[in-house]
Amino acid sequence: MALTPSLEDYLEAIWVIGQKKRVVRIKDIVKHLGVKAASVIGAMKILADRGLVVHERYGYVDLTDKGVGIARNIYHRHKVLTKFFHEILGVDLGIATKDACKIEHYIDKKTLERIVKFIEFIETSPDGEPLWLSHFYHFLKTGRRPESCGKRWGSGGKMKQITTLNKLKVGQKGRVVKILTSEVKRRLLDMGIVPGAEIKIEKTAPLGDPVDILVKGYHLSLRKEEASAITIEVIE
Amino acid sequence: MKRIKIALAGNPNSGKTTVFNSLTGSRQHVGNWPGVTVERKEGKFSYGGCEVDVVDLPGIYGLTAYSLDERIARDFLIKETPDVVVAVIDASNLERNLYLVAQLLELRVNVILDLNMMDLVEAKGISIDTEKLSRVLGIPVVKTVANKGDGIEDLKKAIVAPPKRPGPFQIDYDPDIEAAIERLSDTLKNKGLPKEYPLRWLIVKLLEGDAEILEKVKKLPEGSGIEEAVLKTTASLERNLGYDLETAMVERRYGFLKGLVRECSEKRLGIEERLELSDRIDSVVTNKFLGIPIFLALMWLTFQFVFALGTPLADLIDSFFGWLGTAAASGLTVLNAPGWLSSLISDGIIAGVGSVLVFLPNIMLLFLAIAILEDSGYMARAAFVMDRFMHALGLHGKSFIPLILGFGCNIPGIMATRTLESRKDRILTILVNPLMSCSARLPIYTLFAGAFFSKNQGSIIFSLYLLGIILAVVVARIFKTIFFRHEVAPLIMELPPYRLPMVKGVIIHMWERGSLFLKKAGTIIFAGVILIWLLASLPVGVEYASEESLIGRLGSALAPVLSPAGFGFWQAGVALFFGVVAKEVVVGTLGTLYGVEEAGLRSALLQYFTPLSAYAFMVMSLIYIPCIAAIATIKRETNWKWTGLAVGYSLILGWIVAVLIYQIGGLF
């Protein structure tokens, strides 16, 4: 049978205290959780009945192997959630901890796993904090994207810029990354605008639209509307 | 004699039409593809004991069912199974041109590759290894310079040589994709897939998500099962690829061609070098500042060419038929022929033939001008320059030319919509074209404006032109929302290199389109003129076009309807009826009905019209029903449904606007 959130809290508390001290006493738990001794004693009784805790004399409690398993799991959730809220989303530690304490009891294993992966993905980024994340923090602070947004460091250390074709200026060259799904996608593909193809913006029409591009050795004109469906890596 | 049927396929601007003309000479004719108004050119030639029927497919870039042209070409190849398909390609731009060839080969048709424009390639010191190309693709390869006739002999020889089934050529997609194709072939082998398609091609199309093929397959008894298998395969492939399958497959195809081109041509030309001259021309012609003035200047020239040069000729034809009519009438009177007969011959038949032929100079010159604009490559630039403006009106850059021409005459204006690729743009441009105030309406304006607004005649006439333009914009927007709400008409248009138009090609082009107008529209115009003649002459014995004739009675019946617009008398009704024959006839008819010569007409009109009702009448003449020739041309270019709409909306709109003007104007 599932444990109530408060019982899970008790297990977690015993485990956390146990990590610091050799033995865990009722009064340690009272202090750790800020509850009354009577409540702790009552809870210990239930947990003992479930075979998760061994309540010894002199006020010492200890977790059974099964209890350790559950407690560790809850503590893991707590840590992950706190980290996610505080370190990634940038929420204050106090709030992050408080929310983690609540959510840890309810979150599904799958969701938690995904968050763990997400954190891992960010932490293992080869260049330290990913640029997009710092952009996010900049965005949090200022409400605006930083000027450099859209640029990232490529493997060769050369600046790579990803944008859409309509944003390219006359004379600029780019390489097609992908074409967004739209009514005209197939037409664009057939005309040779395939991933990897080089495109140069030749000119814009006198009224500002459409644009004339060079691709696969010929001139093609597109409205900016159509060009915005083409993701481009700027090469010069 | 052995007969074989071949088709010419190729990108637009690959010189396909030139090859067609060199192959067939004058033995060709133009018609329409069944059910659609896309030109279908056919021709013949005999060579080496073979009679060869040639069909010129529309210029296309691929065989997706993306555009009408592509669908026509694809259906033709699948259903009419030509013995040989000659793929004409611009050898100076191999990679993109070969894309269509690759698709043809995937469809397993017998392809002969025609490397056209070889002179451009050789002039730059580039060599193409045709043997290698032929070996890799498994098809015969011929070099031509079609505009000089070089290599046409070799091409004919290759065409009549016994066809080889295409070799084992196939595009090698990703190993994963290939495995999936194989798996699907096993699953789908006995599912009753349409037999006319090669299985591999069908599977490739299904994986690419080809809407038309998917639709066909869904209708099969086991359709939903097949669809599911395809979707599952697509999804699992896409997961591994990281992006969508359609993109991946097109990319592979292009990837293969890139490799092939690198292998087969020694020195590849940088694009800057290849297009040197063309780009230099473009730096002026589509220049930020000069682009629009040059466009307008060229439009003015075209307009002058078609009308200033054509109208005197048209007048000559007109007065010739006028003279012929009078001569015939007096001749018949001398011979004591009955009045109705001489009227039928002079007012009916001769006038009818005349009203068809009178358009001929304008039409021929128009098509000459258009052929030059198209063949030189300027037409695409015109669309490029004007698209922003026209797109804002819900039309296409290329719609501008037909509309401008409409100011001269709506007939060439409507015919010029042939340069528009999308059906939506074409129909919208045709529907609003009659609102461009054509020159035939000018005599009406001058008469009424001269009589009632002699002080500011110019501004009054100008206001009518402006009204027509404003209404065209509004009507185009409305029709677009009603009929084409969900249709996108993107602008994805090649700007082909400038080329010198060839005299022969331009003349053939002009003659074909012009004579088509005569044949198709001519009959309707003629029938319309005869019908009006009948209405004016019946019942037997009445004076021609008098109040007692059918047309006079119709005019009287119409009078109450016209009275809210301020001209509720039978003469106005009859004049408007005759105006359907040709708008300028309104003037002559009013003269006849009031029994005065043109000079006396002004004072006669002053008795019947007020300045306000005169203005309302001019507005009515501007908007109501296109003339018979325009109706016939609209029918020729669309179908009866759109023609009916063009007639109906203009009639109602004309009445409403005329009434509004008279009623609101009456308040002041």
Side-chain angles (χ1 to χ4, degrees):
Chain A
M1 211 176 78
L3 294 167
T4 62
S6 82
L7 288 174
E8 283 186 343
D9 279 339
Y10 281 114
L11 286 177
E12 190 188 0
I14 295 166
W15 197 76
V16 171
I17 299 163
Q19 295 298 301
K20 293 179 209 155
K21 297 185 175 183
R22 232 164 30 82
V23 289
V24 182
R25 285 171 302 187
I26 297 289
K27 67 172 191 185
D28 293 326
I29 302 171
V30 169
K31 207 173 132 199
H32 186 87
L33 291 173
V35 291
K36 291 190 185 113
S39 319
V40 177
I41 291 163
M44 288 308 120
K45 217 172 227 155
I46 299 168
L47 290 173
D49 288 344
R50 298 265 185 102
L52 300 172
V53 162
V54 185
H55 192 178
E56 290 169 0
R57 274 186 287 172
Y58 320 113
Y60 293 110
V61 286
D62 208 349
L63 294 167
T64 63
D65 284 353
K66 203 173 149 200
V68 168
I70 296 174
R72 215 194 226 147
N73 188 1
I74 296 163
Y75 185 61
H76 170 66
R77 293 186 201 176
H78 179 85
K79 289 264 282 194
V80 167
L81 289 167
T82 312
K83 190 171 192 165
F84 179 62
F85 296 147
H86 178 57
E87 291 180 22
I88 310 249
L89 296 185
V91 178
D92 284 344
L93 185 60
I95 300 171
T97 314
K98 209 174 74 197
D99 280 348
C101 273
K102 290 181 205 148
I103 297 168
E104 66 191 22
H105 305 298
Y106 300 102
I107 192 164
D108 192 277
K109 208 170 83 196
K110 291 264 187 250
T111 315
L112 193 82
E113 263 169 27
R114 201 45 72 82
I115 295 176
V116 170
K117 285 267 181 219
F118 187 63
I119 295 172
E120 192 191 339
F121 171 71
I122 288 169
E123 285 182 341
T124 56
S125 162
D127 309 303
E129 186 179 84
L131 210 57
W132 61 264
L133 193 58
S134 14
H135 287 170
F136 176 61
Y137 295 142
H138 184 271
F139 181 76
L140 283 178
K141 263 186 230 145
T142 61
R144 267 179 290 113
R145 285 164 186 280
E147 303 286 318
S148 61
C149 200
K151 292 173 189 163
R152 65 186 163 96
W153 294 95
S155 44
K158 206 178 118 194
M159 199 73 125
K160 265 197 199 170
Q161 200 184 338
I162 303 289
T163 180
T164 49
L165 185 62
N166 58 322
K167 301 233 173 73
L168 248 54
K169 291 195 183 66
V170 172
Q172 270 190 304
K173 270 189 194 163
R175 190 171 282 121
V176 177
V177 176
K178 77 180 277 196
I179 299 169
L180 302 180
T181 304
S182 71
E183 304 256 5
V184 298
K185 177 174 155 196
R186 182 52 196 248
R187 180 63 156 193
L188 293 171
L189 288 170
D190 279 347
M191 297 300 281
I193 304 181
V194 289
E198 258 183 45
I199 290 184
K200 183 183 173 202
I201 303 282
E202 188 70 10
K203 65 161 63 111
T204 49
L207 298 171
D209 198 23
V211 288
D212 169 7
I213 64 171
L214 273 180
V215 63
K216 295 263 177 219
Y218 75 102
H219 285 266
L220 184 71
S221 64
L222 300 171
R223 290 197 192 114
K224 287 186 172 164
E225 206 175 317
E226 275 93 48
S228 66
I230 303 167
T231 310
I232 286 282
E233 177 197 324
V234 180
I235 39 184
E236 60 183 72
Chain B
M1 208 192 250
K2 206 175 132 212
R3 274 188 96 93
I4 59 173
K5 182 163 70 175
I6 69 163
L8 295 188
N11 287 177
N13 312 302
S14 59
K16 191 165 61 71
T17 308
T18 320
V19 172
F20 179 76
N21 289 341
S22 319
L23 281 177
T24 61
S26 55
R27 293 177 67 190
Q28 50 173 279
H29 73 272
V30 189
N32 275 355
W33 290 90
V36 290
T37 44
V38 174
E39 272 171 24
R40 173 176 173 146
K41 281 195 193 170
E42 283 175 78
K44 278 188 213 309
F45 71 89
S46 7
Y47 187 85
C50 262
E51 178 83 358
V52 185
D53 291 313
V54 191
V55 175
D56 191 16
L57 296 175
I60 47 174
Y61 294 100
L63 284 178
T64 327
Y66 174 83
S67 72
L68 186 59
D69 287 354
E70 289 179 5
R71 223 162 20 230
I72 288 170
R74 189 159 110 177
D75 286 351
F76 177 83
L77 294 173
I78 291 165
K79 293 197 183 116
E80 298 192 34
T81 53
D83 299 299
V84 173
V85 176
V86 177
V88 182
I89 71 171
D90 173 358
S92 65
N93 182 13
L94 273 182
E95 195 178 330
R96 205 221 43 226
N97 274 262
L98 280 173
Y99 181 75
L100 177 67
V101 180
Q103 293 202 312
L104 289 170
L105 288 171
E106 285 193 292
L107 197 52
R108 298 229 156 280
V109 291
N110 287 310
V111 178
I112 293 174
L113 185 60
D114 174 4
L115 297 175
N116 194 24
M117 307 198 188
M118 277 307 290
D119 52 339
L120 298 180
V121 179
E122 277 157 5
K124 299 277 184 187
I126 295 167
S127 69
I128 296 176
D129 187 344
T130 48
E131 262 166 48
K132 191 167 210 171
L133 206 54
S134 166
R135 209 168 46 240
V136 176
L137 296 175
I139 51 172
V141 177
V142 179
K143 297 183 191 179
T144 59
V145 184
N147 55 5
K148 297 193 185 115
D150 295 356
I152 296 298
E153 197 68 14
D154 295 340
L155 183 59
K156 286 183 176 171
K157 208 178 285 170
I159 289 169
V160 297
K164 292 184 290 181
R165 286 309 294 174
F169 169 85
Q170 63 184 40
I171 302 269
D172 209 359
Y173 296 101
D174 209 66
D176 284 351
I177 301 178
E178 284 298 334
I181 293 176
E182 204 158 303
R183 266 201 316 279
L184 279 173
S185 321
D186 285 340
T187 334
L188 305 185
K189 222 181 305 178
N190 300 312
K191 299 270 167 146
L193 288 170
K195 283 279 176 286
E196 64 264 38
Y197 307 102
L199 185 62
R200 184 185 161 91
W201 183 82
L202 207 61
I203 291 168
V204 166
K205 288 292 140 189
L206 286 171
L207 289 177
E208 284 181 333
D210 187 288
E212 199 181 81
I213 297 295
L214 210 59
E215 210 48 53
K216 277 213 172 93
V217 167
K218 268 194 210 162
K219 284 188 191 129
L220 297 175
E222 297 185 57
S224 56
I226 299 174
E227 195 193 358
E228 199 178 314
V230 169
L231 288 180
K232 226 189 234 160
T233 311
T234 310
S236 88
L237 283 171
E238 286 183 347
R239 249 199 316 282
N240 291 337
L241 285 165
Y243 53 99
D244 70 283
L245 196 51
E246 188 182 20
T247 305
M249 296 186 84
V250 178
E251 189 194 350
R252 296 297 141 154
R253 225 173 262 146
Y254 263 111
F256 164 79
L257 294 173
K258 197 171 184 176
L260 178 67
V261 170
R262 191 166 292 150
E263 266 180 66
C264 294
S265 68
E266 241 169 53
K267 174 184 153 200
R268 281 198 311 149
L269 216 47
I271 178 163
E272 278 84 4
E273 199 181 342
R274 188 170 73 87
L275 298 173
E276 206 178 349
L277 177 65
S278 189
D279 282 354
R280 232 178 301 150
I281 298 174
D282 250 348
S283 65
V284 178
V285 170
T286 58
N287 178 282
K288 201 171 178 176
F289 305 104
L290 296 175
I292 290 178
I294 289 177
F295 168 77
L296 292 176
L298 280 171
M299 281 310 99
W300 183 83
L301 266 178
T302 309
F303 198 89
Q304 290 299 313
F305 181 71
V306 173
F307 296 109
L309 212 64
T311 308
L313 288 173
D315 288 345
L316 218 62
I317 294 177
D318 199 25
S319 39
F320 169 72
F321 278 96
W323 168 82
L324 193 65
T326 325
S330 53
L332 286 163
T333 319
V334 170
L335 292 172
N336 271 331
W340 66 267
L341 183 65
S342 93
S343 171
L344 172 66
I345 289 173
S346 62
D347 298 331
I349 294 171
I350 292 177
V353 172
S355 57
V356 175
L357 288 181
V358 78
F359 290 107
L360 200 58
N362 290 141
I363 297 278
M364 286 291 178
L365 288 171
L366 165 80
F367 284 133
L368 191 61
I370 286 188
I372 293 169
L373 289 174
E374 273 189 329
D375 291 3
S376 66
Y378 184 75
M379 198 60 111
R381 271 75 182 182
F384 178 70
V385 167
M386 287 311 293
D387 186 72
R388 174 80 184 266
F389 177 68
M390 296 309 289
H391 189 49
L393 306 184
L395 295 169
H396 187 276
K398 284 189 186 170
S399 307
F400 195 83
I401 292 170
L403 293 181
I404 282 280
L405 288 167
F407 284 119
C409 174
N410 299 135
I411 319 302
I414 293 162
M415 302 287 279
T417 58
R418 300 207 144 198
T419 53
L420 291 159
E421 284 99 25
S422 113
R423 178 176 153 274
K424 172 212 123 198
D425 290 326
R426 195 181 288 176
I427 288 176
L428 284 179
T429 312
I430 287 174
L431 286 176
V432 301
N433 205 291
L435 292 171
M436 299 295 116
S437 209
C438 71
S439 57
R441 282 169 246 191
L442 202 53
I444 310 179
Y445 302 160
T446 356
L447 173 70
F448 279 85
F452 295 92
F453 307 98
S454 53
K455 280 197 189 119
N456 37 20
Q457 205 173 341
S459 354
I460 288 290
I461 293 177
F462 181 74
S463 76
L464 289 163
Y465 277 87
L466 201 63
L467 179 69
I469 295 169
I470 293 167
L471 286 174
V473 171
V474 174
V475 168
R477 297 237 74 156
I478 292 173
F479 283 164
K480 193 187 167 216
T481 13
I482 297 177
F483 300 108
F484 305 103
R485 184 188 291 267
H486 300 295
E487 270 180 59
V488 284
L491 182 92
I492 300 172
M493 176 184 65
E494 184 183 358
L495 297 171
Y498 286 102
R499 298 207 172 100
L500 210 58
M502 299 228 318
V503 177
K504 188 179 160 197
V506 165
I507 299 282
I508 289 179
H509 213 93
M510 173 192 85
W511 180 249
E512 279 166 356
R513 288 177 170 181
S515 53
L516 206 62
F517 163 80
L518 277 188
K519 271 183 255 165
K520 300 288 165 136
T523 35
I524 302 179
I525 299 174
F526 185 72
V529 172
I530 297 289
L531 178 73
I532 295 283
W533 176 82
L534 277 175
L535 287 174
S537 317
L538 291 176
V540 181
V542 295
E543 193 187 332
Y544 187 69
S546 64
E547 200 175 356
E548 291 73 37
S549 68
L550 283 183
I551 209 163
R553 289 183 211 173
L554 281 171
S556 313
L558 214 58
V561 181
L562 295 176
S563 71
F567 41 89
F569 26 90
W570 72 270
Q571 292 94 333
V574 172
L576 289 174
F577 259 111
F578 273 97
V580 178
V581 174
K583 296 245 167 156
E584 73 270 23
V585 173
V586 168
V587 174
T589 309
L590 285 171
T592 315
L593 295 180
Y594 290 126
V596 287
E597 287 301 304
E598 251 185 281
L601 194 51
R602 286 189 181 189
S603 45
L605 289 177
L606 285 169
Q607 293 166 28
Y608 288 90
F609 288 88
T610 64
L612 190 59
S613 68
Y615 193 74
F617 188 80
M618 285 192 277
V619 168
M620 186 71 182
S621 310
L622 161 67
I623 307 169
Y624 91 106
I625 305 192
C627 67
I628 287 181
I631 295 173
T633 315
I634 294 173
K635 163 64 181 69
R636 163 84 195 87
E637 297 301 309
T638 62
N639 54 31
W640 280 120
K641 183 188 135 204
W642 294 114
T643 313
L645 179 71
V647 172
Y649 99 78
S650 55
L651 200 57
I652 295 166
L653 184 71
W655 184 82
I656 291 175
V657 178
V659 169
L660 279 179
I661 284 174
Y662 187 69
Q663 297 297 333
I664 294 174
L667 300 176
F668 297 100

